[in-house]
Amino acid sequence: MTLDELKPGGWCQIKRISVRDRLGQRLMDMGLCPGLHLRVVRNAPLEDPMEVEIEGRFISLRHTEARFVEVEGHDQ
Amino acid sequence: MTNKKILVALAGQPNCGKSTVFNALTGASQHVANYPGVTVEKMSGSYRYNGRTVEVVDLPGTYSLTSYSPEERVSRDFILHEKPSLVVNVTDASNLKRSLYLTFQLLEMEIPLVLNLNMTDMAEQVGVVIDTEGIAEHLGVAVVPTSMKNGQGKKALFNAVAAAAEGGRKAAVRIDYGVMEPFLRDIEKRLADETTMPAFYPARWVAIKLMEGDGETRNLVRADSPRAEHLLRFTERLRGDFESRFNEAPELFIAHRRYREADDIERRYITPGRQAVGTLSDRIDRVVCHRLLGPIILVGVIWILYYLSIVQGYHITNYTWPLLAKIRSLAEAVTPQPGFIEIPMLRALVLWFVDSVNALLNYIPILFILFGLIAILEDSGYMPRMAFIMDRFFSRYGLHGQSTLPMVLGGIYVGGCAVPGVMACKGIPDERSRLATILIIPMLNCLAKVPLYVLLINIYFAAHKAWAMFFISTISLLIALPVSRILTLTILKDKETAPFVMEMPPYHLPTMRGVLGRATERVWLFIRKITTIVAAVAVVLFVLLQFPGINDERQVYYDAKKDKAIADFLSQIEGTPFADDLQGENLMAMILYWKEYKNARMLTKGPEAMSTLNATYKARNPVFFRIVQPGKDKVAKQANRAFKNLYRKRQDLLREIRKERIDNSFLGRLGRWPEPVTRFAGFNWRVNVALLSAFAAKESSVATLGALYEPEEEGEALEARMARGEAGFTSLHALTLMLFMVLYPPCLATSIAVKLQTGSVKWMLFSMAYPMALGLVVAVAVFSGGSALGLTGLQAMIAFYGLALALTVATGLLKEKERYS
Ligand SMILES: Nc1nc2c(ncn2[C@@H]2O[C@H](COP(=O)(O)OP(=O)(O)OP(=O)(O)O)[C@@H](O)[C@H]2O)c(=O)[nH]1
Ligand SMILES: [Mg+2]
């Protein structure tokens, strides 16, 4: 599944970044690196963008961007 | 020891405290902002240590060193081309692992490096323990822990910088890219064989960048070698090979390896602390980004911003305006005195100049408060939250979450200023959205447009004032949003876009020093950059308004009128004891005396002050005073009446001359020239002239109208004069005029700001041309359409509002083209 499908409060592990160039590089640079675990913190009042916590850092991104983060959901 | 200057670059991720370190080292007060990427330009300062001058450059904070964003390009190019003696890599000690991602990239650029672990106080607080010696040994660089906010570790950093500058580069670690190593070796070999690159740049770094597919590095190769294309095709093939063999894009693989290396270092040398970091910020965000409370708080913040800067700031101008008025009176005093109807050119020029500059300087209290509040928003960390909340809405119109603040400043409701609005666009990372925001801000309701709205609404929509005001306050947004959408779908279609992905930094308490420092700095920037240019153009406008002036024939006519007025006056006071005192020179002196006295009286309050004032003037000239204040004295009363009559005749003459001069002036002709077109919008040449003069500053439109519609009696309000002067004017005329004002091209100061922010004269000219065209089209459509349908201004207003609303909704629903595939 992909990150944009996750609901606030959901946990997952990043499997793969499926986009390259500018967006792929940016996601990696901001710390969304395969293997790491993250938590979806909340959605913005208008549902988009979303905010995630990864390794103590809070990152916000649009759902259209989160679609390229392949994840595997889990509890905690 | 050589005497060569040491050049030090400060590099690090956003918010790790680079600017704080910079200030501590150099003692300069430089931006300290809790907003990722606020330092888009680099700043430099210097200090002396052990007899050597060290120049320090504060680079923008970046997470990485790709060529995708301007900040990253600025930082990278500086290190690559300016070749600093060393880089101080500032990092956040409480979260060192993620900072190392950038550290490795700096090390790959093979430049001497000092690793500064800043914010050790924070690290201690959460219980992070770092084996600094271990890391120093592992990486092969000096490691200096500091807590710069409290000034701790400054000395050690000074020493480390001096030592590193002496020592030059030592062998530092290099990341092992594993399965990619053979690919890198192939590229390095080709670089050595076919280009001169290795002489100027670290070859391994170039190879890594080419594997990443970095655009700027490809350009470097192109600039170096005639056989570049050949080589670049080769590297592209390698990239393809790599991806098909290992099923991972090379640039992602490289990033991944860097994180693995950072992980490794963390495991060996860092004892992790409690996972407590960020929880306070998270708790705050539960409220600030809440579905319902979030938007309410946002509106509240905007309201406070308006209230304090526009409303309260305006109050302060009541106190500062007299200062500016003093400057004007001083100018009045030192320039050649006016004659009965002759205004010396020098005097007119100086006063015009002072008035133009004063009009802008008058905004300084407002701007100071505004900039201070923005600094607080930036430092506290609220700005990214604002972007988070508004992004969904704005992105529908091709704008960005970070367009929120610029638009608020520009005047989303009534009363903003486009200049700070345009300047605040700097932080928007997405080039397309940034340009769109810059281009629509001038359409919002800046404070200076309001006087014209109020004037027209009072005359033509008197029965529906509140509704008309609501219409004009909100229509600008309903026009700006669709326009932005259309611009981003057409002209701006091919501009670079950037991912939204951004960090939400923890909240900080802003410091007094930081906030005041930045507010002062930005106001100063405003004065320097904007006011000087506005002053220059004011002179040009003056020339356009003054020349060619009154022709000889008319001058003779006016002189005759003047002589007659004076002769009449003298005959009226003949035989009185005043007759002798008001001959020749003295008459003019009396006129100035009268004027000064009247002005002074207007500013004086209370009976006591009034009697002192009277005493002063009496002492200055007892004879004149008797005419001014005749009391029960019959003869003096007669003189007083005669003089008043003369004084009014002079005012009329002056006004008539001024009007004729404007009519004749180059600007007046310029106003007549588009009349054949503007006729369809209902604008006659007078309105055209007023609109043209609004370019210098929007409030000029009302001032010019004031000059064009002469009052019949002293003190008649402009409303009445205009209503009489334009008997044929209807509410439909007024509506089109207001709509045209909404769409009016940016004023001079804003145009300069647009040029500064876009870095291009072309965009500045475009930002002036398209609203002009659009404004004309809208004005003609509304006026001609409204006239054809026989609509009143109010009906046309309602119809237009409905259309604009529908257009806004429609463009907002347009499906966005897929950005990524
Ligand atoms: N606790 C603590 N806070 C610090 C320290 N150094 C800086 N800060 C704070 O960290 C925040 C960011 O500091 P800046 O100096 O603006 O960071 P920067 O790296 O220049 O940020 P950008 O220019 O946006 O990349 C400010 O609120 C500083 O007061 C420190 O040693 N300890
Ligand atoms: Mg900074």
Side-chain angles (χ1 to χ4, degrees):
Chain A
M1 78 198 268
T2 53
L3 179 57
D4 60 312
E5 298 167 42
L6 249 68
K7 296 268 166 294
W11 282 85
C12 64
Q13 183 178 26
I14 303 178
K15 288 290 148 198
R16 205 172 88 93
I17 302 291
S18 60
V19 63
R20 48 193 307 172
D21 297 334
R22 186 183 284 266
L23 179 58
Q25 183 81 55
R26 178 76 179 167
L27 289 169
M28 284 300 265
D29 289 348
M30 298 300 288
L32 278 86
C33 177
L36 297 182
H37 298 264
L38 66 75
R39 172 174 74 99
V40 177
V41 182
R42 62 175 63 83
N43 284 329
L46 297 170
E47 285 302 315
D48 193 39
M50 66 197 297
E51 183 181 352
V52 302
E53 182 186 358
I54 184 164
E55 307 247 293
R57 190 188 235 178
F58 290 80
I59 306 289
S60 80
L61 71 170
R62 291 176 180 155
H63 281 87
T64 49
E65 295 161 347
R67 232 181 49 223
F68 298 99
V69 182
E70 291 176 8
V71 298
E72 197 168 89
H74 61 79
D75 326 308
Q76 263 294 331
Chain B
M1 191 185 281
T2 59
N3 255 337
K4 224 186 89 207
K5 203 156 75 176
I6 304 175
L7 179 61
V8 176
L10 294 182
Q13 297 201 338
N15 268 307
C16 60
K18 282 177 311 302
S19 300
T20 311
V21 171
F22 178 89
N23 291 346
L25 289 180
T26 62
S29 77
Q30 128 86 342
H31 289 186
V32 181
N34 181 30
Y35 187 58
V38 89
T39 322
V40 177
E41 310 100 353
K42 49 183 197 279
M43 292 276 169
S44 68
S46 66
Y47 65 90
R48 286 189 68 79
Y49 189 73
N50 280 352
R52 296 185 64 175
T53 305
V54 182
E55 192 185 336
V56 188
V57 174
D58 183 19
L59 296 176
T62 60
Y63 294 97
S64 180
L65 288 175
T66 66
S67 55
Y68 287 123
S69 80
E71 292 89 359
E72 296 183 36
R73 279 197 295 264
V74 165
S75 297
R76 193 168 103 174
D77 287 351
F78 187 83
I79 296 172
L80 215 52
H81 302 302
E82 311 288 318
K83 303 225 184 313
S85 327
L86 73 145
V87 170
V88 172
N89 178 201
V90 185
T91 59
D92 174 357
S94 65
N95 210 330
L96 184 58
K97 183 173 130 187
R98 69 175 179 215
S99 307
L100 288 173
Y101 180 73
L102 178 71
T103 308
F104 292 131
Q105 300 186 51
L106 290 166
L107 286 173
E108 271 163 5
M109 296 185 80
E110 295 177 12
I111 184 140
L113 186 130
V114 170
L115 184 62
N116 169 218
L117 310 183
N118 192 32
M119 305 212 191
T120 47
D121 53 323
M122 295 279 279
E124 237 164 75
Q125 230 177 60
V126 293
V128 172
V129 182
I130 302 174
D131 172 7
T132 45
E133 271 157 42
I135 293 185
E137 187 137 334
H138 185 114
L139 294 180
V141 299
V143 177
V144 186
T146 61
S147 167
M148 272 307 178
K149 199 175 179 179
N150 319 310
Q152 274 167 32
K154 199 162 121 179
K155 192 91 195 284
L157 192 55
F158 277 138
N159 285 329
V161 167
E166 284 309 305
R169 192 184 129 75
K170 301 196 190 69
V173 287
R174 52 157 62 178
I175 291 185
D176 177 9
Y177 285 103
V179 292
M180 192 182 271
E181 286 296 335
F183 293 76
L184 295 174
R185 266 200 302 278
D186 281 353
I187 299 178
E188 267 186 79
K189 183 159 182 323
R190 298 273 304 245
L191 283 170
D193 292 347
E194 297 167 30
T195 70
T196 61
M197 300 270 296
F200 305 103
Y201 309 105
R204 184 178 164 83
W205 177 81
V206 177
I208 294 170
K209 283 287 146 187
L210 288 175
M211 267 319 265
E212 280 181 350
D214 183 273
E216 290 292 310
T217 311
R218 293 165 64 84
N219 288 340
L220 283 181
V221 177
R222 284 194 191 101
D224 176 88
S225 155
R227 300 194 45 202
E229 291 311 324
H230 194 64
L231 178 63
L232 292 177
R233 266 199 303 281
F234 171 71
T235 61
E236 277 313 287
R237 212 169 50 240
L238 284 188
R239 274 164 56 76
D241 282 356
F242 184 91
E243 185 157 3
S244 56
R245 268 176 63 192
F246 301 102
N247 194 25
E248 188 169 13
E251 63 269 29
L252 301 186
F253 174 86
I254 290 171
H256 202 155
R257 283 309 272 217
R258 289 175 183 148
Y259 279 120
R260 282 249 282 279
E261 193 73 20
D263 243 357
D264 185 42
I265 289 185
E266 183 186 45
R267 227 171 310 120
R268 290 202 211 179
Y269 307 108
I270 303 174
T271 320
R274 296 177 294 281
Q275 264 292 338
V277 198
T279 47
L280 177 63
S281 288
D282 192 28
R283 275 209 300 278
I284 298 176
D285 274 342
R286 256 174 241 169
V287 178
V288 169
C289 298
H290 185 267
R291 198 168 290 268
L292 281 173
L293 290 176
I296 294 175
I297 293 174
L298 181 68
V299 170
V301 167
I302 294 174
W303 186 82
I304 292 175
L305 194 78
Y306 270 140
Y307 177 76
L308 289 181
S309 61
I310 309 284
V311 179
Q312 293 303 323
Y314 224 78
H315 278 307
I316 299 182
T317 58
N318 287 340
Y319 299 95
T320 50
W321 181 250
L323 292 178
L324 297 175
K326 274 224 182 73
I327 299 180
R328 193 186 199 276
S329 355
L330 199 73
E332 275 179 347
V334 298
T335 48
Q337 293 302 302
F340 192 82
I341 56 164
E342 305 81 10
I343 310 287
M345 185 64 77
L346 181 65
R347 179 183 177 83
L349 174 64
V350 169
L351 291 183
W352 169 271
F353 183 85
V354 170
D355 284 343
S356 306
V357 175
N358 274 0
L360 272 175
L361 291 182
N362 191 34
Y363 285 117
I364 284 180
I366 296 180
L367 289 179
F368 189 81
I369 296 177
L370 203 57
F371 290 152
L373 292 173
I374 296 171
I376 292 176
L377 285 184
E378 285 177 348
D379 281 7
S380 64
Y382 185 65
M383 300 255 284
R385 273 76 185 183
M386 219 157 155
F388 181 68
I389 293 170
M390 291 305 294
D391 185 65
R392 176 74 219 166
F393 177 76
F394 279 135
S395 62
R396 286 197 169 279
Y397 296 97
L399 301 170
H400 192 277
Q402 290 184 21
S403 307
T404 317
L405 184 79
M407 293 189 53
V408 167
L409 296 178
I412 264 188
Y413 200 65
V414 150
C417 177
V419 176
V422 169
M423 300 210 300
C425 289
K426 195 172 77 175
I428 304 174
D430 185 299
E431 168 94 352
R432 189 206 292 171
S433 309
R434 195 165 52 88
L435 281 172
T437 315
I438 292 175
L439 290 175
I440 59 160
I441 279 180
M443 289 185 186
L444 301 177
N445 278 317
C446 88
L447 212 55
K449 288 180 181 178
V450 177
L452 181 73
Y453 297 155
V454 172
L455 173 74
L456 293 173
I457 287 175
N458 276 334
I459 308 175
Y460 298 101
F461 295 94
H464 309 276
K465 270 188 207 167
W467 284 111
M469 209 56 213
F470 174 79
F471 166 82
I472 206 71
S473 307
T474 48
I475 194 73
S476 56
L477 191 64
L478 295 185
I479 296 176
L481 289 177
V483 165
S484 157
R485 185 78 182 126
I486 292 164
L487 285 175
T488 48
L489 286 177
T490 53
I491 297 166
L492 301 174
K493 192 175 72 214
D494 299 325
K495 287 285 156 196
E496 270 187 313
T497 61
F500 180 78
V501 194
M502 69 171 182
E503 185 175 359
M504 305 275 260
Y507 288 101
H508 279 280
L509 219 53
T511 62
M512 197 65 170
R513 179 166 164 260
V515 169
L516 288 182
R518 197 125 35 89
T520 320
E521 188 180 325
R522 289 189 181 161
V523 167
W524 180 232
L525 189 85
F526 172 83
I527 296 177
R528 258 190 3 231
K529 289 215 166 130
I530 309 284
T531 312
T532 45
I533 300 174
V534 166
V537 175
V539 175
V540 174
L541 252 143
F542 176 81
V543 172
L544 286 179
L545 271 171
Q546 284 284 327
F547 293 96
I550 309 282
N551 65 28
D552 291 344
E553 191 187 326
R554 296 292 293 169
Q555 190 63 52
V556 172
Y557 163 80
Y558 283 122
D559 281 340
K561 276 192 126 173
K562 159 190 157 186
D563 293 340
K564 171 145 193 322
I566 294 178
D568 284 353
F569 171 68
L570 290 179
S571 74
Q572 279 166 22
I573 59 166
E574 215 180 296
T576 69
F578 299 109
D580 287 342
D581 294 313
L582 292 175
Q583 297 291 338
E585 297 267 293
N586 283 349
L587 181 59
M588 205 52 226
M590 171 69 207
I591 288 174
L592 295 178
Y593 180 91
W594 173 280
K595 188 172 164 205
E596 254 177 64
Y597 177 74
K598 293 274 146 165
N599 284 345
R601 259 183 82 101
M602 228 151 27
L603 294 175
T604 316
K605 287 184 195 82
E608 255 168 66
M610 202 62 89
S611 58
T612 8
L613 178 82
N614 284 343
T616 338
Y617 273 83
K618 196 167 183 172
R620 242 174 73 180
N621 193 327
V623 180
F624 286 180
F625 192 77
R626 272 182 69 200
I627 304 179
V628 175
Q629 285 288 4
K632 298 223 173 337
D633 182 340
K634 270 244 173 75
V635 186
K637 258 191 181 159
Q638 183 193 345
N640 174 284
R641 232 174 294 125
F643 184 79
K644 262 192 191 152
N645 203 356
L646 174 75
Y647 193 79
R648 209 183 47 239
K649 276 191 190 150
R650 173 174 181 256
Q651 297 289 72
D652 288 350
L653 265 177
L654 282 175
R655 203 170 300 109
E656 213 175 308
I657 294 173
R658 181 160 55 148
K659 177 163 174 284
E660 182 165 335
R661 186 178 290 124
I662 295 178
D663 284 10
N664 269 340
S665 71
F666 294 123
L667 201 68
R669 291 178 203 183
L670 226 56
R672 275 201 193 75
W673 172 70
E675 216 181 354
V677 179
T678 60
R679 209 155 39 96
F680 295 102
F683 304 161
N684 59 23
W685 72 268
R686 279 208 198 96
V687 174
N688 287 348
V689 170
L691 288 174
L692 283 172
S693 72
F695 177 66
K698 299 253 154 74
E699 51 274 65
S700 308
S701 58
V702 173
T704 314
L705 284 174
L708 290 175
Y709 297 110
E710 72 266 49
E712 222 150 64
E713 58 207 75
E714 195 73 51
E716 189 183 18
L718 179 56
E719 272 88 352
R721 283 184 277 160
M722 184 158 174
R724 182 164 39 69
E726 297 287 1
F729 242 55
T730 64
S731 54
L732 194 59
H733 286 89
L735 175 69
T736 32
L737 188 52
M738 289 198 293
L739 283 175
F740 190 80
M741 200 47 159
V742 168
L743 292 164
Y744 196 87
C747 70
L748 195 65
T750 309
S751 306
I752 307 300
V754 169
K755 194 197 150 255
L756 289 175
Q757 285 310 314
T758 57
S760 113
V761 176
K762 221 183 70 209
W763 279 118
M764 181 185 84
L765 293 178
F766 179 75
S767 79
M768 288 153 73
Y770 96 89
M772 187 73 104
L774 190 63
L776 265 182
V777 169
V778 167
V780 168
V782 170
F783 184 74
S784 299
S787 309
L789 296 173
L791 298 180
T792 65
L794 195 67
Q795 288 165 334
M797 186 185 273
I798 293 167
F800 187 80
Y801 201 81
L803 277 178
L805 195 61
L807 190 64
T808 306
V809 172
T811 48
L813 291 177
L814 273 184
K815 207 170 147 36
E816 168 122 39
K817 206 179 96 240
E818 192 56 62
R819 266 199 198 186
Y820 311 104
S821 46

